[in-house]
Amino acid sequence: MSPSSAAAARTPAKKSTATKTAKKTAKSPRKTAKKKPKWIFGPIPQDILSPANFRPEPKAPEAPSICDLTRLEYVVANPALYEVAATVFPPKIRKGPGRPARYPPYIYLIYLICIAIYDSSRRTDATLRHPDTWKAVCVGVRRQLGDKEADALPNRGPSRDQWNDFYSDHLHPAVHEFRKASRDVWIQQAIALGMLSQKRKRGDWLRPHRSQVINGDGTVVRPPSDQTEEYEKDEKSGEIRYHRVDHDAGIQVEGDDNIIYGKKIVAFSVRQEAKCHSRFILNADNARHRSPEQDPEREEEATTAVRLTHEILDRAPGVIAASYDTAWRGKHRAPLIRRGLIVFTRQHSGITPHPLKKYQYEKSECSHDVYAAGGRACERRLTVDGKTMYNPLPVRELLVREGKSGWRFYHSIEISCRNGPHTELIAVYEKEEDSAIDPRTKRMKFNRTEHLRQIPPDTLYGDRLLGMRQDSESSNSTLDYSHWDKRVPMYGAEGALLGYLGYAWMINSIALATAGSP
């Protein structure tokens, strides 16, 4: 069976007993009722994190629909596609024993991208072999590579058999080189369009411009088949049937507790403010699957996302902020903060308040217990009912300093007092003394970046960054609906990554072509 064939996968398959058991096991930990906290979180104060003059983001106009032929024209007009093809697949692959290749490598990359346009390799085969569609491809090649290259192309597009041969012999073995080459040109094109700008005049630490904020998310790519057993015996006839199985697929639990059988892909994107069709995917890679029992905190996804973020920062130093979901914990945020990045995630459930310091002032003869709760510094107080309340302290300034060991971020907080307010500095980055191992517990003395945030959630600026992250969910939904039955027609983790890279090339080519339009 060819790697891109999904015909057999279109028949619903029986789930094995092991798969059903794994799904029940994945569901069971999330069915436990959440215990209500025994403490109260006070009201969010009006400060620099939630200013009175805050204005929400302007809404983008409704995105106009783009027909499939126009999408194809945008793809073949992307000059970076031909550069990547020449870099990853040099001309020598067309020489050697056997029949010479009829099509240059960039044609097969166009075929890969067209799977996301026409939803399957079967429809891509039929569409590219149509004279009108193939003429659009030749016109794009002529504009990018000249008349000689365009005249050398055959009279119609490659067949599915030719695509399968190139996929298995050249494209699949070079998936990681193709990913890296695509990442580099995507970031360069995004910078050329004015995104990821190094000029911080377009935004500041508290409110970075949308084009300086990268948004990441993990999504589950469904395989062509849900079969989990290679051989199945018919109970009546005794016939042994063979099924194609995706051995890299597994039970995945998404953020909304939805259980999907597939492979995890992590990606980061950026977009312009109030402009439709401006999303630009910057980086993507697969996260090897481990069962929910072995990886309950989605560690593999989190470490992959951190690595992809570092790759972007190495090539686009103008990035100011990054947002992700709760798969990022304190240990994942700490190295990114040291690189001068504002890292925003929602507060992970189950984090209890942690004592920071008890401030005692001799002149005013007062003391204040300051705790970390809800991602920010709070003062611990007792209510008239005898309950514990953590009252968020106003943040008057976000101080940012650059040092030899990395960037340092501080909250200048104000502690209200009957004798007059007190001002203190609270570090919201991982300090050296925090990362020291406690000989008694064998753990870090204080996981500061787990309890404190540069921009805490439930603030106006935090809600702004949270709203930007929804763009990742939109991108994942578009990926699903770009393929037949919401399945990428390629087996294996590398196959799923290739399918996502083809989809990303389509999205980026549209953003590049429509950059001048409103």
Side-chain angles (χ1 to χ4, degrees):
M1 188 175 179
S2 62
S4 60
S5 176
R10 298 180 180 179
T11 303
K14 273 186 176 182
K15 302 291 188 305
S16 67
T17 305
T19 305
K20 293 180 180 178
T21 305
K23 287 189 174 183
K24 289 180 180 178
T25 307
K27 285 183 179 179
S28 57
R30 297 177 178 258
K31 284 186 177 180
T32 57
K34 294 182 179 180
K35 295 182 179 179
K36 292 183 178 180
K38 299 179 180 180
W39 44 271
I40 304 172
F41 193 73
I44 303 298
Q46 191 175 88
D47 56 5
I48 62 167
L49 301 173
S50 298
N53 59 348
F54 175 83
R55 285 198 235 171
E57 298 297 301
K59 290 185 178 181
E62 183 178 355
S65 299
I66 301 177
C67 70
D68 293 343
L69 181 59
T70 303
R71 291 173 187 263
L72 176 60
E73 292 173 345
Y74 289 162
V75 168
V76 297
N78 192 339
L81 180 65
Y82 305 93
E83 299 174 10
V84 170
T87 302
V88 181
F89 309 105
K92 65 180 181 181
I93 69 171
R94 287 182 275 179
K95 299 178 181 179
R99 184 190 307 173
R102 291 190 63 193
Y103 299 89
Y106 60 81
I107 292 295
Y108 293 105
L109 293 188
I110 294 174
Y111 195 108
L112 171 68
I113 301 170
C114 284
I115 294 177
I117 298 177
Y118 301 108
D119 77 27
S120 67
S121 57
R122 184 183 296 273
R123 281 195 60 196
T124 300
D125 179 316
T127 306
L128 288 184
R129 294 170 76 80
H130 191 276
D132 293 340
T133 309
W134 185 244
K135 180 180 178 181
V137 175
C138 295
V139 169
V141 172
R142 190 178 304 276
R143 291 175 179 173
Q144 296 297 326
L145 302 180
D147 295 338
K148 183 178 179 181
E149 185 72 21
D151 294 337
L153 294 175
N155 295 328
R156 60 180 182 175
S159 65
R160 196 152 58 114
D161 290 337
Q162 292 170 321
W163 152 251
N164 289 332
D165 290 340
F166 184 86
Y167 175 92
S168 58
D169 294 343
H170 303 292
L171 186 56
H172 190 274
V175 56
H176 298 293
E177 291 77 7
F178 178 49
R179 182 194 79 83
K180 295 176 183 177
S182 299
R183 170 203 63 199
D184 293 344
V185 299
W186 291 343
I187 295 176
Q188 292 173 6
Q189 287 185 328
I191 294 175
L193 291 179
M195 294 180 278
L196 312 179
S197 173
Q198 297 187 40
K199 298 180 180 180
R200 297 192 185 274
K201 293 181 180 179
R202 300 186 61 189
D204 53 30
W205 297 106
L206 287 173
R207 185 164 187 159
H209 193 269
R210 181 155 195 167
S211 63
Q212 296 169 306
V213 181
I214 59 175
N215 305 292
D217 194 19
T219 184
V220 180
V221 176
R222 296 177 64 193
S225 171
D226 282 341
Q227 294 285 355
T228 58
E229 300 294 336
E230 292 187 11
Y231 298 96
E232 180 185 13
K233 184 177 180 180
D234 190 288
E235 297 179 358
K236 294 183 178 180
S237 64
E239 178 186 1
I240 303 297
R241 297 178 180 177
Y242 171 76
H243 299 294
R244 181 82 182 268
V245 176
D246 193 328
H247 296 285
D248 288 335
I251 299 298
Q252 307 276 357
V253 182
E254 293 189 322
D256 55 355
D257 293 351
N258 188 26
I259 294 180
I260 300 180
Y261 180 73
K263 299 152 287 189
K264 180 66 67 90
I265 297 289
V266 180
F268 280 85
S269 63
V270 67
R271 72 176 306 151
Q272 293 282 10
E273 182 181 79
K275 186 178 186 306
C276 57
H277 293 306
S278 64
R279 182 191 303 127
F280 221 89
I281 298 175
L282 303 172
N283 205 356
D285 204 353
N286 52 37
R288 283 293 181 177
H289 166 70
R290 287 187 287 167
S291 66
E293 295 82 4
Q294 296 175 333
D295 189 16
E297 300 295 339
R298 294 182 289 171
E299 182 68 21
E300 183 64 28
E301 176 189 344
T303 53
T304 301
V306 171
R307 173 173 56 84
L308 296 182
T309 306
H310 281 297
E311 292 178 0
I312 296 174
L313 293 177
D314 292 339
R315 294 159 180 81
V319 179
I320 294 182
S323 65
Y324 206 78
D325 59 20
T326 53
W328 269 359
R329 305 300 296 267
K331 61 181 178 181
H332 304 118
R333 291 188 289 267
L336 299 175
I337 294 174
R338 281 196 295 268
R339 295 198 63 173
L341 198 66
I342 295 290
V343 184
F344 178 81
T345 65
R346 289 180 295 177
Q347 189 76 345
H348 200 279
S349 60
I351 298 180
T352 57
H354 190 282
L356 289 177
K357 187 177 179 180
K358 185 172 183 178
Y359 293 95
Q360 294 182 340
Y361 304 96
E362 296 180 358
K363 292 184 178 180
S364 56
E365 297 181 353
C366 63
S367 62
H368 302 269
D369 285 335
V370 178
Y371 277 66
R376 61 189 300 160
C378 302
E379 184 178 3
R380 181 177 180 268
R381 295 178 178 177
L382 293 177
T383 65
V384 293
D385 299 332
K387 296 182 179 180
T388 303
M389 183 180 73
Y390 295 94
N391 191 33
L393 297 173
V395 178
R396 298 309 180 192
E397 189 176 0
L398 176 64
L399 301 176
V400 184
R401 299 169 183 171
E402 185 178 8
K404 294 182 180 180
S405 59
W407 291 78
R408 306 189 301 273
F409 293 82
Y410 300 88
H411 281 175
S412 176
I413 63 171
E414 181 181 287
I415 305 175
S416 60
C417 180
R418 65 181 182 276
N419 299 317
H422 308 286
T423 302
E424 298 290 345
L425 280 184
I426 300 293
V428 290
Y429 71 100
E430 186 181 83
K431 303 170 69 174
E432 292 184 8
E433 54 266 32
D434 297 331
S435 57
I437 302 299
D438 190 334
R440 183 176 57 87
T441 62
K442 307 298 182 183
R443 296 180 180 178
M444 291 174 55
K445 289 186 175 180
F446 180 37
N447 193 349
R448 185 177 294 269
T449 51
E450 179 78 354
H451 293 271
L452 295 171
R453 307 298 176 84
Q454 300 150 297
I455 299 181
D458 298 324
T459 59
L460 292 180
Y461 282 139
D463 291 343
R464 175 179 178 267
L465 292 175
L466 179 62
M468 292 182 185
R469 214 193 72 78
Q470 302 305 317
D471 189 64
S472 300
E473 301 292 345
S474 172
S475 179
N476 296 339
S477 177
T478 306
L479 169 69
D480 292 338
Y481 286 100
S482 296
H483 297 88
W484 188 89
D485 198 25
K486 300 181 181 181
R487 299 175 184 270
V488 174
M490 299 170 192
Y491 284 89
E494 284 75 15
L497 177 59
L498 281 170
Y500 190 92
L501 294 176
Y503 161 76
W505 271 103
M506 178 192 70
I507 295 296
N508 294 351
S509 297
I510 294 173
L512 186 67
T514 59
S517 60

